[in-house]
Amino acid sequence: MKKFFVVMMVVFLVALLVSPVMAKKYTIATVVKLDGIAWFERMREGVKKFAQDTGHEAFLVGPPRADAALQVQIIEDLIAQGVDAICVVPFSPEAVEPVLKRAMDQGIVVITHEASNIQNAHWDLEAFDNYAFGAKLMDYLASYMGEEGEYATMVGSLTSKTHMEWITGSVERQKEKYPQMKLVTESPLECYDDQTRAYENMKELLRTYPNLRGVRTSASTAAPGCGLAVEEAGLQDRVHVVGPSLVSLSGQYLKTGAVKVIGFWDPADAGYAMNKLAVMVLEGQEVTDGMDLGVPGYNKLRMDGRVLYGEAWVFVTKDNMDQYNF
């Protein structure tokens, strides 16, 4: 019997020596601006796929409404839980700075998205250069407007860094290339990522500016909200809506012409890429200019300080909308 136990111990020790070292499994939380809307449900798909592909515990959470304080509370809870990494799409980058600093001080890796001005993060990962994206959207709007006439702008929130950069890129392109176009609002209207609020904003714009020819939206929910108002007014041949959205949200309005063009990047790919970048940082891997994350649109990242830019944009009209199922 003693000899049997000795043999078994030897076998066990040999197995330990020759077996590969198990990779550490990390817990990674992705915190979004607002849970329950199509954009972030699509991002959840990418986070789930990352978990399935890698074995890491990766999940997505967000507040029930677009509220910076609620998002901060979620991050505070995750810090208390001791997660390994937090990926954040901030409603307000300024509002989350203090809580992200606390996370980093406790050794938690922080990756952000749509927050190129963030200070307290290891990296911010952007789908593309936001000003260039805004400029491209303005080119589309100008084309439909015949490069002249009145237009307005709309964002989820004036504190949304990405939305404001898109609008800035659009307005600067308009002033540079389309001088016969006129911006009727001093600052963008806010819809707080709410489709009904965008609808009400658009109805007010149509009442206030009877010569309005276009609107440049930013929140994914704003284009369909504005499209509904345009459609109800029977103005789809005169008022042109252009902005970021998804086919699942704006497809019916693309078909009728109430929304002319939507631009987006795949939120699922962004969620996957953020989580992959978080694991790289956790494992001490080098992040380099031009590197490939192995995710569509993030194959040759451009580094600018602590911001990494991909080339993940797509633009969709009624003619190519059938290529996208989200």
Side-chain angles (χ1 to χ4, degrees):
M1 184 63 71
K2 182 177 180 181
K3 184 177 179 180
F4 172 77
F5 281 117
V6 170
V7 171
M8 292 302 294
M9 183 61 71
V10 170
V11 170
F12 176 72
L13 292 172
V14 170
L16 284 178
L17 290 172
V18 300
S19 63
V21 178
M22 292 297 291
K24 182 175 179 180
K25 301 303 179 185
Y26 298 107
T27 300
I28 307 169
T30 299
V31 184
V32 298
K33 299 177 187 179
L34 173 64
D35 203 359
I37 64 173
W39 185 270
F40 292 121
E41 284 303 311
R42 177 65 179 176
M43 184 171 284
R44 178 176 273 115
E45 292 179 24
V47 173
K48 284 183 176 179
K49 186 175 189 304
F50 177 82
Q52 292 167 357
D53 289 350
T54 64
H56 296 298
E57 183 185 352
F59 58 93
L60 182 146
V61 292
R65 62 180 184 274
D67 185 298
L70 292 178
Q71 191 177 46
V72 167
Q73 181 61 57
I74 289 172
I75 297 170
E76 288 175 341
D77 292 344
L78 291 167
I79 293 172
Q81 293 171 31
V83 298
D84 296 298
I86 302 176
C87 301
V88 188
V89 187
F91 179 71
S92 166
E94 291 79 11
V96 296
E97 289 280 18
V99 72
L100 294 185
K101 184 178 188 304
R102 287 200 294 277
M104 294 178 71
D105 288 345
Q106 295 192 30
I108 297 173
V109 167
V110 174
I111 306 295
T112 57
H113 180 60
E114 296 190 49
S116 60
N117 63 329
I118 204 79
Q119 299 299 310
N120 291 294
H122 290 83
W123 294 97
D124 176 72
L125 181 64
E126 298 294 316
F128 39 69
D129 181 286
N130 291 317
Y131 295 100
F133 181 65
K136 289 282 288 184
L137 288 169
M138 177 50 67
D139 289 338
Y140 281 109
L141 182 61
S143 175
Y144 282 102
M145 289 177 58
E147 300 185 10
E148 63 180 13
E150 297 179 351
Y151 76 99
T153 58
M154 193 180 303
V155 295
S157 166
L158 294 175
T159 64
S160 175
K161 176 68 173 177
T162 299
H163 289 190
M164 294 302 292
E165 287 178 343
W166 294 340
I167 293 300
T168 299
S170 287
V171 174
E172 288 180 351
R173 177 61 64 91
Q174 177 262 304
K175 290 178 179 178
E176 174 193 357
K177 290 190 64 177
Y178 312 112
Q180 300 307 309
M181 292 175 63
K182 179 185 177 184
L183 180 61
V184 296
T185 51
E186 266 189 44
S187 64
L189 299 177
E190 295 179 290
C191 71
Y192 298 97
D193 292 74
D194 182 86
Q195 187 166 325
T196 301
R197 184 70 172 267
Y199 166 76
E200 295 295 343
N201 284 349
M202 190 68 205
K203 289 203 299 183
E204 182 62 29
L205 283 170
L206 293 174
R207 284 192 295 266
T208 306
Y209 304 100
N211 295 320
L212 191 74
R213 297 286 311 286
V215 60
R216 253 287 290 113
T217 61
S218 290
S220 64
T221 50
C226 292
L228 176 58
V230 168
E231 193 172 83
E232 286 182 348
L235 296 172
Q236 52 265 48
D237 293 329
R238 199 189 77 177
V239 179
H240 312 287
V241 178
V242 171
S245 192
L246 295 176
V247 173
S248 60
L249 288 169
S250 295
Q252 68 186 91
Y253 303 109
L254 287 169
K255 288 179 181 178
T256 65
V259 174
K260 295 302 191 297
V261 179
I262 59 172
F264 58 88
W265 65 105
D266 190 338
D269 289 339
Y272 196 108
M274 278 194 291
N275 277 258
K276 188 167 185 178
L277 183 59
V279 171
M280 290 182 63
V281 177
L282 284 164
E283 295 184 343
Q285 298 181 42
E286 186 179 7
V287 177
T288 59
D289 187 42
M291 76 175 187
D292 183 359
L293 282 179
V295 180
Y298 302 88
N299 306 113
K300 191 176 181 181
L301 295 177
R302 177 175 65 85
M303 183 185 296
D304 182 6
R306 286 287 175 178
V307 182
L308 299 168
Y309 293 97
E311 296 178 349
W313 62 34
V314 293
F315 297 97
V316 173
T317 68
K318 64 180 180 181
D319 297 324
N320 65 338
M321 59 178 285
D322 291 340
Q323 298 176 25
Y324 302 94
N325 62 356
F326 56 90

